[in-house]
Amino acid sequence: MTSRLLGKTPLIVLAGPSGAGKTSVARRLVAKDEKFVFSISATTRCSRGNEIHGVDYLFLSQTDFRTMEEAGGFLEWAEVHGQKYGTPLEQLETASRLEKFLIMDIDVQGAAQVKSEVEDAIMIFVIPPSAKVLLERLKSRGTEERDRLIERLRNAREEVAQANTFDYVLVNEDLDQLVSQIQKIVTLEDQGALEGIDLSGKIRQFQTGIDEVLDGILK
Ligand code: 5GP
């Protein structure tokens, strides 16, 4: 079979609001399918305790992040919830050497930068099944402080408004199902045989749901 993508460091970008389950799906995909490798981002935020430097993230100081940025060491970087996050170019080199698909879990600003640099990147937007589920996921992650919760929900609403700039919008109802959908998309894209799916109705419904949840919190 001819591959449209291999040899070019094929990039699979997973973007979407925090709490959509991007990291879990990327990790499950990499564990299940050896064609994929996870892109380890650099960040200035601190480790959440169970996260390991060099496995989950490269945890850098502000100075080291800036030095790397000034040296042109990032494919993209962005400030998210007050911290810097970026994809080291080294991740692309590693994926290329291993001849694997690089799966990137990044925010929408970074995703836009990737798309402008790498036209062939497969852009996937992941949304939670509903605003209520997002709220529960954010709470269970320890984002309980009211102001931070409101900030993340508002960010989610803004991010979701950009979903229509992506090639695919997938709903994270079930992790294994999502992994299979991504495998299918990548296989068919690799053969140049797939086009995007229109989920604009689902996105509007999700945005309205966030408004209702925010109304409930702010009352
Ligand atoms: P968290 O701090 O919850 O791990 O991640 C916060 C947000 O930053 C998530 O939306 C995640 O996708 C995004 N993010 C993680 N790594 C990168 C990166 O390398 N670049 C960009 N632009 N965003 C990232």
Side-chain angles (χ1 to χ4, degrees):
M1 190 205 315
T2 49
S3 169
R4 191 172 74 82
L5 298 169
L6 278 176
K8 293 194 203 170
T9 316
L11 305 182
I12 322 299
V13 173
L14 289 188
S18 109
K22 291 169 289 171
T23 314
S24 310
V25 73
R27 289 290 183 194
R28 177 95 42 116
L29 181 61
V30 168
K32 195 175 162 194
D33 190 334
E34 58 177 23
K35 282 201 301 294
F36 296 88
V37 63
F38 184 73
S39 173
I40 302 165
S41 298
T43 181
T44 56
R45 88 151 160 79
C46 296
S47 161
R48 285 190 180 123
N50 54 343
E51 294 170 320
I52 301 167
H53 178 78
V55 175
D56 297 290
Y57 278 108
L58 299 172
F59 295 102
L60 302 185
S61 65
Q62 292 282 352
T63 312
D64 287 348
F65 194 98
R66 201 174 322 115
T67 304
M68 197 159 155
E69 176 206 329
E70 284 168 2
F74 290 119
L75 169 66
E76 60 72 35
W77 74 270
E79 201 160 312
V80 188
H81 313 309
Q83 297 291 341
K84 288 180 181 162
Y85 294 82
T87 305
L89 280 172
E90 212 182 21
Q91 296 295 311
L92 275 74
E93 286 150 20
T94 306
S96 175
R97 197 175 56 248
L98 298 172
E99 297 198 340
K100 292 193 180 199
F101 294 87
L102 186 67
I103 183 125
M104 302 166 65
D105 159 11
I106 64 177
D107 86 311
V108 288
Q109 308 164 77
Q113 293 174 51
V114 173
K115 191 65 193 172
S116 68
E117 295 282 329
V118 186
E119 210 194 321
D120 267 343
I122 301 174
M123 309 297 292
I124 301 176
F125 195 89
V126 181
I127 59 172
S130 71
K132 284 207 175 98
V133 170
L134 176 66
L135 180 67
E136 291 316 313
R137 285 195 190 150
L138 289 175
K139 280 185 176 169
S140 70
R141 197 186 267 192
T143 319
E144 270 156 11
E145 197 196 309
R146 190 173 173 272
D147 289 352
R148 280 191 59 210
L149 196 58
I150 291 169
E151 185 197 13
R152 294 219 168 203
L153 285 166
R154 286 198 169 128
N155 283 349
R157 201 188 186 297
E158 271 178 36
E159 288 199 303
V160 165
Q162 295 172 53
N164 58 2
T165 63
F166 283 72
D167 301 322
Y168 303 94
V169 179
L170 301 180
V171 182
N172 185 6
E173 301 260 9
D174 174 271
L175 219 50
D176 285 316
Q177 192 191 12
L178 194 55
V179 165
S180 305
Q181 286 175 328
I182 296 171
Q183 285 176 303
K184 205 188 231 172
I185 287 172
V186 172
T187 306
L188 292 175
E189 278 270 1
D190 200 18
Q191 297 163 13
L194 201 59
E195 284 180 8
I197 301 157
D198 183 14
L199 272 171
S200 47
K202 184 78 195 174
I203 291 163
R204 275 194 299 278
Q205 186 191 347
F206 182 64
Q207 286 176 315
T208 310
I210 291 186
D211 288 341
E212 286 166 8
V213 165
L214 275 170
D215 280 350
I217 295 175
L218 293 170
K219 227 179 253 163

